[in-house]
Amino acid sequence: MAHANSIHMDPALVRYANMYVKRHEYFRWTPRTAWLSFVYVMAVPAVGLYFAYKTEGKYDMRGKRRGDTIVEF
């Protein structure tokens, strides 16, 4: 029966695994991370909600036949 330490581990994979587990310890708020956080938390959903609000009720996908338009107005 093989022991757990008998297999040689790749040092690069070991470093990557340790970095992945301890990622929260190395995180710092920089202007770049603050900007990216703002964009993905606020700006992207705001743009999606804006387009959803502007097109609400404009398209009807149900009950259409071939050649009918999906635009209601």
Side-chain angles (χ1 to χ4, degrees), residues 26-59:
Y26 300 111
F27 178 79
R28 300 181 99 183
W29 283 107
T30 62
R32 181 175 186 263
T33 57
W35 172 249
L36 288 174
S37 298
F38 171 76
V39 167
Y40 287 118
V41 172
M42 300 295 278
V44 171
V47 170
L49 287 173
Y50 172 76
F51 283 118
Y53 175 73
K54 286 305 224 183
T55 59
E56 181 182 7
K58 188 172 183 180
Y59 302 108

Side-chain angles (χ1 to χ4, degrees), residues 15-16 18 65 67 71-72:
R15 280 196 315 269
Y16 177 76
N18 289 334
R65 296 183 182 169
V71 178
E72 290 297 313

Side-chain angles (χ1 to χ4, degrees), residues 4-14 17:
N5 295 332
S6 65
I7 298 175
H8 179 68
M9 299 294 291
D10 184 11
L13 290 176
V14 171

